[in-house]
C-alpha cells in the first residue's frame, strides 16, 4: 500500500506516452542553487489554487492561469507539452489563440513565482526558476518536499496506513485527521477546464475514502456516539455511498439505537431501488442480519486513545513495592502461579482477605510487581476505600481506569453498566493486571473485573469474598514469629537486633505480629539512633491496654497506628487529629492550611513530615489523603480529651469558610457583576484568588467531590448549615456538569431536609433554590415548580429577597415549558421588579431574556428580539460572557422565529463557543439543538441532522428526558429531509414515548408526524 485506499491510484496523473520530454537544453541551469524565493514557496490545490511565499500570498492570476498552474503542480515536476495544457484548459474546442494564451499565462506565472529571476539572469547570475520551459512545454521544478499540500496529504495517508497495519490505531487516526485537515473546501475550487474537473472528481473520491478509513478506525476505538453526527451529514451529502451507510448503521447500533440502524438499511434499500434499480451490496445486507441477530461480534470496539501517542496507553499504576519485603513465600508462590495461568484462556482472580494492617496490600503489590512481565499492556491500581464510611463508587473507579487506558472524557458513558461494558471492551485482546485494593464487598468489585482472557485481578479486602464467583480465595493471617522478627531486623538492622534478640521478640509480639505495626515500630527505632531495642520494647509495654487491643480485629489496626501517633511532635499530632476530621477522599494543601489555620508553607512541612511517618499519604503534588482506617483513628484521637469540641468545630468551620469563599470567587470571576456573591453568608477565613476564569473552573471541578463532602458534613450543625447551603448555591455549575450532577442533587436534598429539621426557614428557602435548579436541569418541571413556590413563601417570611427573585425567574421559565404563558409572564415581570429593587442588573438581564422567550411563544417576535438584545447589552457592559451567552441563546431563538436565520445562527454559534469553553454541557447541547432548528428553517437538513446528533451526544446523562424528546423530534425532521424516513420514524416514536410518559402536550404533535407514515 502507498497510503491511498484500495482501487485509487496515486493521485498525480500518469504521463501519456506522447508526453515524455525530449532531452534538450533547459532555459535555466538545473544544478544551480535554488533562490530563496523558490525555497519559500508553498502551494495549495486541496481547495482554491493558491500560492504563498513564506506567509505572504502570491497572486496566481485569472481562472485560466490558475488552471495552468494546477495542471503543472499535479504533474509533480514532469513536463506538460503545450498541446496537453491546451487540452487541459479548454478541451476539444480551444480558442484560436490558445497557444499564445498558454505562453502568456506561463510568462506571468514565472514572474510572480520567481520575481528576482529575470534580474539575476540579466546580470549574468545563473538561477533555477520555479516554472521552467523545455521541449515546447512547461514544468514546475525544485520545490521543497512539503511545498504542495497534496503531496503532504499523500505522505500522511501512507504513514497512517502503515500505522494501522502495525496495529497503532491511535497514531493512524491522528495522522489521517492531519491529512484531511489540509482540504479547504472543494478541491481546485473555481478552476475551469476538463482536466481540473477530472482531477476534482478523483481527489474528492480519494478524500471520501480517507474519511471512511478514519471513521472506520473511530468505530474500532469506541467513538460510535460521536461518529453518528458526522456520518448522518455524510450520508445526506452522498446518499448512494453504501460504505457510509454501513458505518452509520454500525455506529447507531453500538450507540444502543438498534431500531434506527435497521431503519437506515430500509431507507438505503428503498433509495437504491428507486434510483438505480439494484439491491444493497452483500456487506450491507449481512450487517442488517447481524444487527437483527444481536451478533455479539458487533459490540466489540476499543476505547478512543489520546491523540499523540506513539503506542497504546500502558498504565503502570502499581504503588512501589517495599524493598524490605519479608516472608509470605508460600503465598507469593501460590499467587504467582494463579497469575501465570492468565497466559492461558481464563481470567485469573485472586482475593486476599484479612484484618487491617496484616499486609494484604504489601503482599499484593509485591506479587503484582513480580508478575509485571506477564502483563505487558499495563497494570491498574485503585484503593477502593472499603473500610471507610464512603467507599469508592465503581462508576467513579471505571472512569479513572478508562482515562488511564487512554479513553477521552467525552467518550466515557455515564451509567455504571455502560462504563463496565466499555472497560471490558477496552481490555479485550490486551494483557492487563488490575489490583483492587481495600474492597468493601464483592458487589463493589464485580464491575471492575476485566472479564477477558489474558487479564488478571488481585483483590484485597477485610472480608472473605465467598460470593465472588471464580475467585481464588486466600485468608492472610498475621506473620509467624520468625517472619515478624525477620521484617523487624531488615528495617532496624542486623547489628542492633542481634544483641537484643529477646527485646526484639517482645516488640514484634507487642505489635501482634501485624506487619504494619511492626513496620511503624521498626521505622521509628531506625530513625532514632540513640534508642535501643529495649527502649522501644519498654515503651510498647507501658501503653495502656495496647497488648489487648493488638489481639482483636480492627483494634489491632488502631494499636499499630497508636505506635506512630505516639512519636509525633505536638504540632504534628494536632495536624493529624484535625485533618482527620474532614470528609472527602483527600484534601488539598490550601484546604489543609485552612483546617490547621497555618500558612501554606508551614502546613506543607507538617504534612510532609506526616507522610514520612506513613500516617498520611501524598496522593499527588499538593494533595494528601489518609488511609480510611488511619482517618478513623485520627478522628478517635480528635474526639478524646486531647481536642476540645470548640477546636474541632473551629477547624471544620475554617474549612467551610475556605470552600465558600473560593466558590464565591469562582462564581464572581465567571459572572462579573452578579449580586449573588454579595448576599452569601459572611466568612472569616479567606478563599483562593484566581487569575483567570479557566483557573477558577479548574479548581471548582477538581475540588468538586471534596467540596460537596464538606457541604454534607456541615449540614449536621445548625451554626454551619446556612454557609453550607450558600456554598452549594455558589457552586451550582456542578449541577450541570454531568460528572457531579448526582452528588450535587443528593447533597441538595440532604440540605433541604437538614434546614427543615432545624427550623431554619431562610436557609431552607436557599436550599430549595439549589434543588429547583437540579430539577430544572433534569427536566422535572413539576417538582421544580413545587420547590420554587415553597422557596418564595419561606424567603418572604424571612425577608430574604434574593431567593424570591430567582424562584420567580425559575417559575417563569418553567411556566414557559408548560405552555402557561400568562403565569410565566407574571412571574418574570415580578422577578424583574425584585432584581431591580436589589440593584442586581445581571438578574434583571436574566429575567428579560426569559421574558423574551415568553413573548416569542405568544407571537410577539419583535419585542422578543428587543428584550433579548437588552439582556445582551447589560451583560456585555458588565463583561459577563457566560451570562451573555445565555442572552445570545435567547436572541438566537427570537431571530430564528423572525426569519433572520443567518443572524440567529451567528448568535447561537457565539453562545455555543462560550458554553463549550465554560464546560456548561447542558447549554452546549441546547445550543446545538437550536442550531439544528435554524438549519431546518434554512432547509439545510443534513447540517440540522448533524447538529441534532451532536446535541444528543453532549446531553447524554444530563438535561432530562423532555429535552431529549425535543432533540429527537428535530432530528427526525432533519432525517426526513434527507430521505432517511425510516430512521426519522424511529426517532419520532422514541420522542412520542418520552412525551407520553411525561404527560407532555408535545406527544400529540409528534404522533401527527408519525400518522402519515403509519397510514402509508
Amino acid at each position: 500500500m502507498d497510503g491511498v485506499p484500495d482501487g485509487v491510484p496515486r493521485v498525480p496523473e500518469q504521463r501519456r506516452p506522447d508526453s515524455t520530454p525530449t532531452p534538450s537544453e533547459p532555459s535555466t541551469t538545473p544544478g544551480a542553487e535554488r533562490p530563496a524565493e523558490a525555497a519559500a514557496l508553498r502551494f495549495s490545490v486541496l481547495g482554491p489554487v493558491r500560492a504563498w511565499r513564506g506567509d505572504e500570498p502570491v497572486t496566481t492570476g485569472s481562472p485560466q492561469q490558475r488552471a495552468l498552474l494546477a495542471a503543472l503542480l499535479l504533474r509533480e515536476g514532469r513536463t506538460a507539452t503545450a498541446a496537453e495544457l491546451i487540452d487541459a484548459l479548454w478541451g476539444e474546442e480551444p480558442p484560436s489563440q490558445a497557444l499564445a494564451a498558454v505562453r502568456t499565462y506561463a510568462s506571468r506565472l514565472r514572474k510572480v513565482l520567481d520575481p528576482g529571476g529575470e534580474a539575476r539572469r540579466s546580470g549574468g547570475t545563473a538561477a533555477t526558476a520555479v516554472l521552467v520551459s523545455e521541449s515546447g512545454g512547461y514544468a514546475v521544478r525544485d520545490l521543497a518536499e512539503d511545498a504542495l499540500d497534496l503531496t503532504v496529504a499523500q505522505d500522511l495517508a501512507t504513514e497512517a496506513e502503515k500505522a494501522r497495519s502495525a496495529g497503532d490505531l491511535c497514531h493512524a487516526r491522528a495522522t489521517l485527521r492531519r491529512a484531511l485537515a489540509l482540504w479547504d473546501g472543494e478541491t481546485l475550487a473555481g478552476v475551469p477546464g476538463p482536466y481540473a474537473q477530472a482531477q476534482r472528481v478523483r481527489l474528492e473520491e480519494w478524500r471520501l475514502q480517507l474519511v471512511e478509513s478514519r471513521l472506520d478506525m473511530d468505530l474500532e476505538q469506541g467513538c460510535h456516539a460521536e461518529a453518528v453526527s458526522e456520518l448522518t451529514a455524510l450520508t445526506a451529502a452522498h446518499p448512494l455511498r453504501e460504505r457510509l451507510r454501513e458505518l452509520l448503521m454500525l455506529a447507531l447500533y453500538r450507540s444502543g439505537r438498534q431500531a434506527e440502524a435497521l431503519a437506515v438499511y430500509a431507507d438505503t434499500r428503498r433509495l437504491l431501488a428507486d434510483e438505480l434499480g439494484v439491491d444493497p451490496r452483500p456487506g450491507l445486507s449481512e450487517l442488517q442480519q447481524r444487527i437483527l441477530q444481536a451478533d455479539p461480534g458487533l459490540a466489540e470496539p476499543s476505547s478512543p486513545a489520546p491523540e499523540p501517542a506513539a503506542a497504546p496507553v500502558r498504565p503502570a499504576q502499581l504503588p512501589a513495592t517495599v524493598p524490605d519485603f519479608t516472608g509470605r513465600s508460600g503465598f507469593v508462590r501460590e499467587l504467582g502461579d494463579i497469575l501465570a495461568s492468565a497466559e492461558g484462556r481464563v481470567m485469573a482472580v485472586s482475593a486476599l482477605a484479612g484484618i487491617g494492617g496484616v499486609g494484604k496490600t504489601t503482599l499484593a503489590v509485591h506479587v503484582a510487581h513480580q508478575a509485571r512481565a506477564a502483563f505487558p499492556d499495563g497494570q491498574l491500581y485503585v484503593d477502593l476505600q472499603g473500610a471507610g464510611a464512603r467507599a469508592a463508587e465503581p462508576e467513579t473507579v471505571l472512569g479513572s481506569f478508562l482515562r488511564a487506558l487512554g479513553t477521552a472524557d467525552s467518550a466515557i458513558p455515564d451509567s455504571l453498566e455502560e462504563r463496565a461494558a466499555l472497560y471490558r471492551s477496552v481490555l479485550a485482546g490486551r494483557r492487563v493486571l488490575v489490583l483492587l485494593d481495600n474492597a468493601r464487598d464483592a458487589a463493589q468489585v464485580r464491575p471492575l473485573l476485566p472479564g477477558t482472557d489474558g487479564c488478571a485481578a488481585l483483590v484485597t479486602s477485610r472480608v472473605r469474598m465467598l460470593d465472588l464467583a471464580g475467585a481464588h480465595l486466600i485468608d492472610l493471617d498475621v506473620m509467624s514469629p520468625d517472619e515478624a522478627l525477620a521484617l523487624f531486623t531488615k528495617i532496624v538492622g542486623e547489628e542492633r537486633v542481634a544483641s537484643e534478640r529477646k527485646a526484639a521478640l517482645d516488640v514484634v509480639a507487642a505489635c501482634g505480629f501485624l506487619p504494619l505495626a511492626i513496620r511503624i515500630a521498626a521505622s521509628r527505632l531506625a530513625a532514632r539512633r540513640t534508642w535501643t531495642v529495649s527502649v522501644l520494647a519498654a515503651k510498647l509495654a507501658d501503653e495502656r491496654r495496647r497488648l489487648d487491643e493488638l489481639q482483636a480485629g480492627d483494634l489491632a489496626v488502631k494499636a499499630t497506628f497508636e505506635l506512630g501517633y505516639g512519636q509525633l511532635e505536638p504540632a504534628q499530632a494536632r495536624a493529624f487529629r484535625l485533618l482527620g476530621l474532614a470528609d472527602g477522599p483527600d484534601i488539598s494543601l490550601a484546604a489543609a492550611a485552612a483546617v490547621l489555620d497555618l500558612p501554606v508553607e508551614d502546613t506543607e512541612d507538617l504534612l510532609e513530615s506526616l507522610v514520612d511517618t506513613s500516617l498520611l499519604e501524598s496522593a499527588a503534588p499538593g494533595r494528601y489523603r489518609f488511609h480510611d482506617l488511619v482517618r478513623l483513628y485520627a478522628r478517635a484521637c480528635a474526639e478524646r480529651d486531647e481536642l476540645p469540641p470548640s477546636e474541632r468545630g473551629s477547624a471544620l468551620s475554617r474549612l467551610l469558610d475556605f470552600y465558600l469563599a473560593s466558590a464565591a470567587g469562582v462564581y464572581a470571576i465567571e459572572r462579573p457583576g452578579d449580586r449573588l456573591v454579595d448576599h452569601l453568608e459572611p466568612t472569616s477565613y479567606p478563599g483562593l484568588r484566581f487569575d483567570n476564569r479557566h483557573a477558577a473552573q479548574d479548581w471548582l471541578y477538581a475540588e468538586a467531590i471534596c467540596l460537596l463532602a464538606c457541604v454534607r458534613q456541615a449540614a449536621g450543625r445548625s451554626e454551619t448549615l446556612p454557609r453550607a447551603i450558600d456554598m452549594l448555591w455558589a457552586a451550582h455549575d456542578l449541577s450541570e456538569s454531568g460528572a457531579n450532577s448526582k452528588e450535587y442533587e443528593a447533597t441538595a436534598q440532604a440540605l433541604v431536609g437538614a434546614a427543615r429539621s432545624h427550623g431554619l426557614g431562610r436557609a431552607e428557602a436557599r436550599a430549595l433554590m439549589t434543588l429547583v435548579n437540579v430539577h430544572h436541569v433534569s427536566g422535572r418541571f413539576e417538582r421544580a415548580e413545587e420547590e420554587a413556590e415553597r422557596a418564595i413563601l419561606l424567603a418572604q417570611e424571612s425577608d430574604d429577597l434574593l431567593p424570591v427573585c430567582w424562584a420567580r425567574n425559575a417559575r417563569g421559565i418553567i411556566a414557559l415549558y408548560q405552555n402557561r404563558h400568562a403565569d410565566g409572564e407574571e412571574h418574570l415581570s415580578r422577578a424583574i421588579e425584585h432584581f431591580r429593587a436589589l440593584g442586581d442588573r445581571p438578574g434583571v438581564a436574566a429575567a428579560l431574556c426569559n421574558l423574551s422567550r415568553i413573548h416569542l411563544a405568544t407571537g410577539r417576535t419583535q419585542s422578543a428580539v428587543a428584550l433579548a438584545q437588552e439582556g445582551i447589552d447589560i451583560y456585555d457592559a458588565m463583561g459577563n460572557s457566560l451570562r451573555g451567552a445565555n442572552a445570545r441563546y435567547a436572541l438566537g431563538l427570537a431571530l430564528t422565529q423572525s426569519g433572520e436565520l443567518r443572524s440567529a445562527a451567528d448568535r447561537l454559534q457565539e453562545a455555543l463557543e462560550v458554553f463549550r469553553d465554560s464546560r456548561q454541557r447542558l447549554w452546549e447541547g441546547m445550543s446545538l439543538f437550536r442550531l439544528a432548528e435554524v438549519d431546518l428553517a434554512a432547509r439545510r437538513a443534513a447540517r440540522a441532522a448533524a447538529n441534532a446528533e451532536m446535541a444528543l451526544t453532549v446531553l447524554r446523562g444530563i438535561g432530562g428526558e423532555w429535552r431529549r424528546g425535543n432533540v429527537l423530534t428535530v432530528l427526525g425532521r432533519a432525517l426526513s429531509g434527507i430521505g432517511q424516513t425510516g430512521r426519522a420514524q424511529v426517532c419520532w416514536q422514541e420522542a412520542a414515548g418520552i412525551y407520553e410518559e411525561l404527560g407532555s402536550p408535545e406527544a400529540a404533535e409528534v404522533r401527527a408526524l408519525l400518522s402519515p407514515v403509519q397510514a402509508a
Side-chain angles (χ1 to χ4, degrees):
M1 293 292 291
D2 63 357
V4 182
D6 292 340
V8 179
R10 190 164 176 84
V11 175
E13 185 181 71
Q14 299 298 314
R15 286 181 288 181
R16 299 177 182 177
D18 61 354
S19 68
T20 304
T22 303
S24 63
E25 182 67 20
S27 60
T28 56
T29 307
E33 183 179 354
R34 211 162 21 120
E37 290 88 349
L41 280 170
R42 293 182 295 113
F43 297 91
S44 171
V45 294
L46 301 179
V49 175
R50 291 171 291 183
W52 296 266
R53 182 175 292 105
D55 294 330
E56 295 296 322
V58 174
T59 303
T60 53
S62 66
Q64 286 79 11
Q65 190 169 307
R66 292 198 301 275
L68 176 67
L69 177 61
L72 296 175
L73 288 171
L74 290 174
R75 280 166 169 76
E76 291 188 334
R78 291 177 287 107
T79 301
T81 66
E84 288 178 318
L85 293 173
I86 290 171
D87 183 57
L89 269 63
W90 292 286
E92 296 180 357
E93 298 182 359
S96 58
Q97 299 298 315
L99 181 59
V102 167
R103 289 171 177 169
T104 299
Y105 299 151
S107 176
R108 290 174 181 172
L109 283 172
R110 185 181 289 115
K111 289 178 181 179
V112 296
L113 297 179
D114 188 15
E118 191 63 37
R120 286 191 296 273
R121 285 188 290 275
S122 298
T125 302
T128 301
V130 172
L131 195 155
V132 300
S133 305
E134 60 182 14
S135 304
Y138 301 93
V140 172
R141 298 272 173 81
D142 259 355
L143 295 179
E145 291 182 0
D146 59 350
L148 181 63
D149 57 357
L150 175 58
T151 303
V152 175
Q154 291 170 335
D155 292 342
L156 289 172
T158 301
E159 181 183 344
E161 185 63 30
K162 290 179 180 176
R164 186 175 187 179
S165 298
D168 190 353
L169 293 185
C170 170
H171 183 61
R173 289 171 66 211
T175 305
L176 269 188
R177 283 199 186 96
R178 289 168 56 200
L180 289 165
L182 294 171
W183 266 267
D184 185 15
E186 183 185 38
T187 303
L188 302 173
V191 176
Y195 178 79
Q197 178 58 26
Q199 293 295 311
R200 217 170 359 250
V201 171
R202 190 149 54 89
L203 288 171
E204 173 61 12
E205 172 63 24
W206 184 52
R207 185 188 71 83
L208 283 173
Q209 291 192 14
L210 293 182
V211 169
E212 289 171 347
S213 180
R214 194 260 302 158
L215 284 165
D216 190 37
M217 287 187 283
D218 286 349
L219 296 187
E220 284 188 57
Q221 291 205 300
C223 297
H224 35 268
E226 294 79 359
V228 170
S229 173
E230 184 177 358
L231 282 164
T232 298
L234 285 169
T235 52
H238 307 280
L240 299 177
R241 200 170 183 93
E242 292 184 65
R243 177 56 179 158
L244 290 174
R245 298 269 180 153
E246 184 178 342
L247 291 170
L248 177 58
M249 288 174 64
L250 185 57
L252 286 167
Y253 179 75
R254 287 182 175 172
S255 299
R257 299 159 70 176
Q258 179 180 1
E260 280 188 71
L262 293 171
V264 170
Y265 178 80
D267 290 337
T268 305
R269 184 176 184 180
R270 182 170 53 251
L271 177 68
L272 291 173
D274 292 345
E275 296 289 331
L276 304 176
V278 299
D279 291 328
R281 61 185 179 84
L284 204 63
S285 301
E286 180 186 348
L287 178 59
Q288 181 220 21
Q289 291 301 314
R290 294 180 68 189
I291 290 174
L292 286 170
Q293 297 163 7
D295 185 347
L298 292 179
E300 295 180 354
S302 305
S303 69
E307 299 298 341
V313 176
R314 294 182 176 88
Q317 296 185 342
L318 293 178
T321 187
V322 292
D324 46 26
F325 182 85
T326 303
R328 311 293 199 188
S329 56
F331 288 125
V332 170
R333 285 193 301 272
E334 182 178 354
L335 288 169
D337 292 340
I338 294 296
L339 294 182
S341 72
E343 295 183 12
R345 297 288 300 164
V346 296
M347 175 189 65
V349 180
S350 294
L352 288 72
I355 63 172
V358 79
K360 302 180 296 295
T361 299
T362 302
L363 173 59
V365 170
H366 180 78
V367 170
H369 274 283
Q370 285 196 336
R372 285 181 65 179
F375 300 94
D377 295 318
Q379 306 85 39
L380 296 168
Y381 170 85
V382 65
D383 179 359
L384 294 173
Q385 304 176 25
R390 296 185 63 83
E393 294 295 335
E395 53 261 50
T396 303
V397 176
L398 285 170
S400 175
F401 278 359
L402 286 167
R403 280 187 287 271
L405 290 163
T407 308
D409 281 341
S410 61
I412 297 176
D414 293 297
S415 72
L416 171 61
E417 293 76 15
E418 288 178 315
R419 288 188 178 189
L422 178 57
Y423 169 66
R424 292 191 294 270
S425 297
V426 171
L427 292 180
R430 302 171 73 173
R431 294 186 51 73
V432 173
L433 174 62
V434 183
L435 176 46
L436 305 172
D437 193 20
N438 200 9
R440 177 186 56 204
D441 51 32
Q444 186 190 27
V445 166
R446 288 190 193 99
L448 308 178
L449 297 178
T452 185
D453 299 342
C455 289
L458 277 175
V459 185
T460 73
S461 176
R462 290 189 299 163
V463 299
R464 294 193 77 216
M465 294 194 176
L466 298 175
D467 52 345
L468 190 60
H472 178 77
L473 302 181
I474 291 180
D475 290 325
L476 197 60
D477 203 350
V478 296
M479 284 183 154
S480 69
D482 289 342
E483 288 178 331
L485 185 60
L487 173 60
F488 183 82
T489 303
K490 275 193 175 182
I491 298 171
V492 174
E494 179 69 32
E495 182 179 348
R496 296 178 73 181
V497 174
S499 59
E500 296 184 277
R501 181 177 176 82
K502 184 178 183 304
L505 287 171
D506 290 341
V507 168
V508 295
C511 291
F513 306 110
L514 286 170
L516 180 58
I518 296 167
R519 185 172 299 281
I520 292 173
S523 297
R524 294 298 169 270
L525 182 60
R528 290 161 175 79
R529 304 305 300 177
T530 59
W531 283 16
T532 62
V533 179
S534 298
V535 168
L536 176 59
K539 287 181 176 292
L540 293 177
D542 289 342
E543 290 290 335
R544 288 185 307 165
R545 302 184 59 196
R546 177 166 295 175
L547 293 176
D548 292 336
E549 292 176 350
L550 284 172
Q551 297 173 13
D554 287 345
L555 292 177
V557 177
K558 183 177 180 180
T560 59
F561 296 150
E562 190 76 47
L563 291 172
Y565 179 71
Q567 302 299 325
L568 297 181
E569 300 295 333
Q572 291 176 310
R574 175 181 177 271
F576 177 74
R577 294 191 300 265
L578 289 179
L579 290 175
L581 297 174
D583 283 346
D586 60 7
I587 191 167
S588 69
L589 180 58
V595 172
L596 302 181
D597 197 18
L598 291 173
V600 170
E601 294 80 6
D602 295 345
T603 301
E604 184 173 20
D605 290 342
L606 272 176
L607 268 55
E608 287 297 328
S609 71
L610 287 173
V611 170
D612 291 339
T613 68
S614 300
L615 290 174
L616 193 66
E617 298 176 18
S618 179
R623 300 199 74 84
Y624 299 86
R625 68 185 174 207
F626 283 108
H627 183 282
D628 47 13
L629 295 178
V630 178
R631 185 198 301 277
L632 294 177
Y633 174 72
R635 288 184 175 179
C637 293
E639 291 166 3
R640 295 190 308 219
D641 295 339
E642 303 172 25
L643 198 62
S646 59
E647 188 173 357
R648 299 199 300 269
S650 295
L652 292 175
S653 181
R654 287 191 299 271
L655 180 61
L656 180 62
D657 277 356
F658 167 77
Y659 279 132
L660 174 55
S662 299
V666 175
Y667 190 95
I669 202 170
E670 285 192 319
R671 300 167 175 83
D674 195 300
R675 293 292 308 280
L676 172 64
V677 293
D678 300 327
H679 294 269
L680 299 175
E681 288 287 317
T683 58
S684 57
Y685 193 91
L688 296 175
R689 295 182 179 274
F690 303 101
D691 295 331
N692 57 71
R693 183 166 57 88
H694 290 100
Q697 291 172 347
D698 289 344
W699 178 86
L700 179 64
Y701 289 104
E703 289 290 339
I705 297 177
C706 294
L707 186 150
L708 293 174
C710 179
V711 169
R712 289 191 297 269
Q713 190 172 19
R717 295 182 296 157
S718 59
E719 63 271 22
T720 55
L721 180 58
R723 277 179 288 157
I725 291 170
D726 278 4
M727 181 162 72
L728 196 65
W729 196 355
H732 82 260
D733 282 350
L734 298 178
S735 70
E736 301 178 6
S737 69
N740 308 108
S741 302
K742 292 180 181 178
E743 283 282 342
Y744 187 98
E745 179 176 353
T747 304
Q749 291 278 15
L751 291 185
V752 170
R756 191 167 296 166
S757 66
H758 285 296
L760 301 175
R762 181 178 185 276
E764 184 182 349
R766 292 185 168 216
L768 284 168
M769 281 312 303
T770 67
L771 205 51
V772 167
N773 188 59
V774 166
H775 292 322
H776 175 249
V777 168
S778 301
R780 300 188 291 265
F781 301 125
E782 290 184 2
R783 292 186 63 185
E785 169 75 8
E786 294 172 3
E787 307 291 15
E789 184 177 7
R790 177 167 173 77
I792 291 174
L793 294 174
L794 290 170
Q796 287 175 335
E797 290 176 1
S798 56
D799 197 25
D800 187 9
L801 191 54
L802 190 66
V804 176
C805 296
W806 286 109
R808 290 283 186 197
N809 184 71
R811 294 187 72 183
I813 198 67
I814 292 166
L816 167 68
Y817 293 151
Q818 297 177 332
N819 296 316
R820 296 184 290 107
H821 300 134
D823 290 347
E825 187 159 359
E826 178 186 355
H827 285 305
L828 291 169
S829 297
R830 295 184 68 179
I832 291 171
E833 294 175 9
H834 294 325
F835 278 126
R836 283 178 174 154
L838 284 175
D840 191 336
R841 294 181 64 206
V844 171
L848 285 171
C849 292
N850 290 331
L851 187 59
S852 163
R853 298 183 61 181
I854 295 284
H855 281 223
L856 194 62
T858 52
R860 292 170 284 175
T861 307
Q862 188 173 355
S863 61
V865 171
L867 287 167
Q869 186 60 57
E870 186 178 352
I872 289 175
D873 293 341
I874 293 174
Y875 286 136
D876 287 355
M878 306 188 80
N880 195 328
S881 62
L882 180 55
R883 286 282 178 82
N886 289 112
R888 283 168 171 79
Y889 175 91
L891 180 58
L893 301 187
L895 291 171
T896 301
Q897 192 157 316
S898 66
E900 300 177 59
L901 300 182
R902 177 170 293 182
S903 295
D906 289 344
R907 300 294 81 76
L908 289 169
Q909 188 64 41
E910 291 167 1
L912 173 63
E913 291 169 3
V914 174
F915 290 140
R916 188 172 284 156
D917 186 57
S918 301
R919 310 181 198 182
Q920 297 283 313
R921 273 184 56 200
L922 172 66
W923 292 108
E924 178 188 347
M926 291 306 296
S927 297
L928 288 165
F929 163 60
R930 298 302 185 182
L931 281 168
E933 290 186 319
V934 173
D935 292 329
L936 271 183
R939 301 184 184 278
R940 298 189 295 264
R943 188 185 299 179
N947 277 325
E949 280 290 354
M950 284 191 286
L952 284 178
T953 299
V954 172
L955 291 173
R956 278 186 303 175
I958 193 170
E961 286 298 288
W962 180 75
R963 290 186 177 91
R964 176 175 170 79
N966 292 345
V967 179
L968 285 168
T969 302
V970 167
L971 176 58
R973 292 181 185 273
L975 292 171
S976 180
I978 59 176
Q980 298 186 17
T981 54
R983 192 174 155 206
Q985 185 181 19
V986 172
C987 291
W988 288 334
Q989 286 171 339
E990 185 177 353
I994 289 172
Y995 291 142
E996 288 167 354
E997 184 174 348
L998 295 175
S1000 300
E1002 291 89 348
E1005 176 188 348
V1006 179
R1007 285 296 176 194
L1009 292 171
L1010 281 167
S1011 57
V1013 180
Q1014 292 170 338

